[in-house]
Amino acid sequence: MFDAGKVSICNLENKAAPGRMPVNTLVPVAVAYFGERTVGYNRYYAAQGVNQQIDLLIRVWRCNAVKIGMYAVLSMSENDGQYRITNVQHLLDDDGLKVTDLTLSRLEENYDVATET
């Protein structure tokens, strides 16, 4: 069930005028509802082995646009905030439906988010 909240999958883009200081902004490329998953011991300790922190694991309907290194902005959930996508897995769920699992690491500093048009 995808009832935990809403996620915007974003690219980080420089929105500054040419010749100006960079102004990095998150620009949404896809929006979906998500369900939270349990971070298992294997995944947790594998991340710790390469000095990565896993803060959340979510599942959305199959989204081929998402790539490692993109950003996720969660809303309407207990874990609202901005995250970096550290892993993407395209899977079939128990019912044979196409889904995508996203491993997320919370950002220490937030970016501005472009409004959706």
Side-chain angles (χ1 to χ4, degrees):
M1 252 193 339
F2 301 116
D3 62 353
K6 189 175 174 181
V7 60
S8 295
I9 307 299
C10 303
N11 282 321
L12 186 63
E13 296 181 11
N14 180 6
K15 292 296 187 176
R20 298 286 187 183
M21 291 291 293
V23 178
N24 290 324
T25 303
L26 294 176
V27 178
V29 296
V31 177
Y33 289 97
F34 70 90
E36 288 187 22
R37 308 284 295 161
T38 301
V39 178
Y41 287 113
N42 289 339
R43 183 184 306 260
Y44 178 79
Y45 285 110
Q48 292 295 316
V50 293
N51 292 325
Q52 285 189 348
Q53 175 65 37
I54 295 177
D55 292 304
L56 196 59
L57 180 63
I58 65 172
R59 177 169 281 180
V60 297
W61 293 117
R62 177 68 54 94
C63 182
N64 292 320
V66 66
K67 306 285 184 240
I68 293 173
M70 293 177 82
Y71 296 84
V73 179
L74 275 53
S75 60
M76 300 169 30
S77 76
E78 294 177 359
N79 295 300
D80 285 1
Q82 296 180 3
Y83 297 81
R84 184 169 176 83
I85 299 171
T86 59
N87 195 15
V88 177
Q89 292 178 288
H90 299 295
L91 308 165
L92 295 176
D93 70 2
D94 294 339
D95 297 320
L97 301 172
K98 295 178 179 181
V99 295
T100 300
D101 281 357
L102 305 175
T103 304
L104 306 177
S105 177
R106 185 178 285 276
L107 297 179
E108 292 181 16
E109 293 184 32
N110 289 337
Y111 295 103
D112 290 333
V113 179
T115 57
E116 298 176 54
T117 56

